Amino acid sequence: MQTYDLRADLARVRCPTLVLSGDLDPFATTADARDLVAALPRELVQARSFPRAGHAVLDDARDEALATIREFLGAP
């Protein structure tokens, strides 16, 4: 997985994108999330990092992650 790199293609994204990351994720690190966000069109990307969360942000920070997703989607 360390050689799987699609960052060059991310500039072609044309829809709003939410990037969630966990500060304790050993697989997709916060540095990886920052690289992902930097490669996406600035006007379309939102990002949120969760302290004390690992790769499974929805398991580790469920309420906060769901609130972030609802806000991103414009849902009550």
Side-chain angles (χ1 to χ4, degrees):
M1 290 301 292
Q2 294 300 322
T3 60
Y4 190 71
D5 188 353
L6 295 175
R7 285 177 290 177
D9 295 323
L10 294 177
R12 298 186 339 209
V13 169
R14 296 293 176 249
C15 62
T17 304
L18 177 62
V19 176
L20 303 179
S21 62
D23 288 351
L24 303 177
D25 188 340
F27 305 108
T29 65
T30 53
D32 293 334
R34 283 192 298 272
D35 288 347
L36 180 67
V37 168
L40 287 160
R42 182 178 306 253
E43 69 277 8
L44 296 175
V45 67
Q46 293 181 36
R48 171 90 192 273
S49 180
F50 295 88
R52 298 174 308 282
H55 193 70
V57 171
L58 282 172
D59 289 338
D60 297 339
R62 185 169 196 78
D63 293 340
E64 299 93 337
L66 288 175
T68 300
I69 294 167
R70 283 187 194 100
E71 182 180 329
F72 177 75
L73 296 173

